Amino acid sequence: FSTNDLMEQLHLKYQQKPWTETLKLVHFCMDKPLQRPVSNAPDGPLRSCLEKIQRTLNDKSLFSVMNRLESLSKQKGLNAHVSPSGTACYITSNMFYVEVQLEKDGNVVDVKVAHLGEAPMQLFLFGRMKNYDAFGKILEDLSNLYQTPGNSEMRAKGYLALQALEKDLYSMSLLDRTQDVNRVTEVLHGKVGHLVPRTGGTSTYIEFYISPYQVLEAELNPGSQVCETKAVVTVEGTDTLHKLSLSPLLADSQDGEDGNPTFLPLSDELSIDLSAFFVLKFHQPIPISSSSIEEIQRLTGIHNLHANLKKIHLLSGIQITGLKLAPLYELIIQSTLKEKCHGESSTQKSCFFVSLPDCPKHCYFINKGSEKSNLTGALVSKIPFSHPKCVPGVIEILRHQVAFNSLISSCVSEKHINEDDSELLYFEVVPHKNTSFCVFFLHPVKENLACVVFDVITSREVQCHLHLNPQDPTLNPSDDFIARAVKR
């Protein structure tokens, strides 16, 4: 048959049948077990087509909402069951279930999640807006809590270990905390940043850095939630065993003599060997210098650092991720352009034009250094650890690195070509050592070069030193003034 003849026969066959029966038939066919890999499944195009139709149509009935929930559950590898009353959908795995209560018109009344052996707790009410994408992400996060190897009992132990870690992190977040502390202060100064506890299917996460520009934005717009750098706290499976605590280890609500929290020893009674470790996971990979990676290595127990940073291993020999060594400044430019241009811009450029209000345009040339230099680094997506005591130190290292990255990225823009070269001010950014760099520019009076050395001591302290040719006229700004301006 020709395509037109076939479509005409199909149309004649089903024109007398209601659309609900056709939907049931489609779902019946989709529920049949596949006899071959999913990628080659004959119903793949049908699934894709059905998902597109469901995303496009407005859910105006109980039947359509149930169909959408069942389809979403299957996409996430979960099971879905409708209650005898027909007004509740249970999305289940062998470790948890999600209950969605509906009205007869399809409106969502309530959503709850219950982990193995726990009472149900309210999940976010995706109800009236029916944000299925966000709901699907939460189902993924819930499933990922139990991706550790072993049977249901061992996966449940991994979840208990994560709960114990979250309690310790929350207790640490309260140390030295005053009642009137605001979010920005907590992000920049808190022992574990600003901790947002897990609620329902949303993982615990730590906000640990906000740039000075974003701090200013928060001051000018009270109540605004400025974009921050954060890490999700979760647990992941490994191929070998690690000793993880099943109960909180923080011994006292006060810091020890050295200013660090005091923890109970990790005894056999308080811990268990699991094929898992805890992870600080970033939404976007962070460029981290080789020296900072080595510091994190010492804190978390990572050892056997490969000479070229191709692989990093834990004490037990578990690979974190394949880390490719590259000039650190090149990685910072790459990450900045990916964020500003949504991944569509070339990262091979080194010359950038930046427009500032009431000021001539700036042209920044960033000297990336070479692979042979010691100013190298890697893009890091996650940091594994096995004890809560590692977290404050790791957070401080991350703050320091991201503060340095923010200064370099402020010279990067998506604009590589300038149509008007008049009134341009030229600057060259040159790597110096560790977390310091030089910015060269023409002296405003003489034709000699001037230079400012920026040294990022910590995420909260930047030192600046202006260097001029001794024969050139002095410039008004003092080193202290420049440092205060940069910090602001």
Side-chain angles (χ1 to χ4, degrees), residues 124-141:
F124 87 115
L125 191 63
F126 83 112
R128 298 185 184 280
M129 298 301 294
K130 295 191 180 75
N131 189 337
Y132 290 99
D133 289 337
F135 188 53
K137 180 64 172 64
I138 283 184
L139 293 179
E140 280 183 25
D141 290 342

Side-chain angles (χ1 to χ4, degrees), residues 213-227:
Y213 185 85
Q214 292 166 331
V215 172
L216 182 61
E217 184 182 343
E219 290 175 358
L220 296 175
N221 302 286
S224 63
Q225 292 291 307
V226 295
C227 182

Side-chain angles (χ1 to χ4, degrees), residues 184 188 209-221 407 454 459-464 480-488:
V184 170
L188 296 174
Y209 183 77
I210 299 179
S211 72
Y213 185 85
Q214 292 166 331
V215 172
L216 182 61
E217 184 182 343
E219 290 175 358
L220 296 175
N221 302 286
L407 272 176
F454 295 81
S459 62
R460 294 170 286 274
E461 181 184 358
V462 180
Q463 292 182 358
C464 302
D480 179 62
F481 177 84
I482 298 172
R484 283 188 287 114
V486 170
K487 185 177 178 181
R488 181 59 171 166

Side-chain angles (χ1 to χ4, degrees), residues 105-350:
D105 59 0
N107 286 329
V108 179
V109 178
D110 199 8
V111 184
K112 293 181 180 179
V113 60
H115 294 274
L116 196 65
E118 290 186 1
M121 68 177 75
Q122 190 170 37
L123 208 52
F124 87 115
L125 191 63
F126 83 112
R128 298 185 184 280
M129 298 301 294
K130 295 191 180 75
N131 189 337
Y132 290 99
D133 289 337
F135 188 53
K137 180 64 172 64
I138 283 184
L139 293 179
E140 280 183 25
D141 290 342
L142 286 169
S143 297
N144 289 338
L145 290 177
Y146 298 101
Q147 293 303 309
T148 54
N151 55 26
S152 296
E153 182 182 355
M154 297 307 290
R155 291 200 293 272
K157 291 287 176 62
Y159 174 67
L160 289 175
L162 178 62
Q163 281 186 313
L165 170 69
E166 290 170 340
K167 289 176 182 176
D168 275 332
L169 293 178
Y170 181 71
S171 298
M172 278 193 279
S173 73
L174 298 179
L175 296 175
D176 300 331
R177 181 180 179 180
T178 58
Q179 289 185 347
D180 58 345
V181 66
N182 60 34
R183 171 175 165 265
V184 170
T185 302
E186 241 183 349
V187 170
L188 296 174
H189 301 276
K191 272 188 167 53
V192 290
H194 177 67
L195 185 80
V196 180
R198 181 160 50 88
T199 54
T202 305
S203 299
T204 297
Y205 63 90
I206 292 171
E207 301 172 355
F208 60 87
Y209 183 77
I210 299 179
S211 72
Y213 185 85
Q214 292 166 331
V215 172
L216 182 61
E217 184 182 343
E219 290 175 358
L220 296 175
N221 302 286
S224 63
Q225 292 291 307
V226 295
C227 182
E228 70 294 312
T229 307
K230 60 187 178 184
V232 173
V233 181
T234 187
V235 63
E236 287 191 0
T238 66
D239 295 330
T240 56
L241 296 175
H242 299 267
K243 191 177 287 295
L244 301 180
S245 172
L246 294 179
S247 60
L249 294 175
L250 194 65
D252 198 344
S253 59
Q254 301 297 322
D255 288 343
E257 294 180 0
D258 58 355
N260 295 317
T262 304
F263 294 91
L264 298 172
L266 197 60
S267 63
D268 292 337
E269 292 78 17
L270 295 175
S271 64
I272 187 173
D273 289 332
L274 290 172
S275 298
F277 49 32
F278 304 126
V279 173
L280 292 175
K281 186 181 291 187
F282 312 115
H283 291 293
Q284 297 293 336
I286 297 177
I288 300 182
S289 69
S290 304
S291 57
S292 293
I293 290 174
E294 289 174 358
E295 285 186 67
I296 293 172
Q297 165 199 5
R298 287 191 290 270
L299 277 173
T300 60
I302 303 170
H303 87 314
N304 192 25
L305 192 65
H306 199 273
N308 62 1
L309 282 180
K310 287 286 180 67
K311 293 180 180 178
I312 293 183
H313 297 268
L314 290 179
L315 280 168
S316 57
I318 296 302
Q319 184 178 336
I320 300 175
T321 182
L323 294 180
K324 185 179 179 182
L325 187 67
L328 178 63
Y329 286 62
E330 184 176 309
L331 295 175
I332 295 172
I333 292 172
Q334 174 185 329
S335 297
T336 305
L337 288 177
K338 186 175 181 181
E339 180 181 350
K340 290 184 177 181
C341 307
H342 307 290
E344 298 176 359
S345 178
S346 169
T347 59
Q348 302 304 313
K349 304 293 183 181
S350 299

Side-chain angles (χ1 to χ4, degrees), residues 329 365-367 375 428-433 436-440:
Y329 286 62
F365 175 78
I366 299 181
N367 186 326
L375 294 174
E428 182 178 9
V429 180
V430 180
H432 183 42
K433 59 181 180 180
S436 66
F437 59 95
C438 306
V439 177
F440 291 92

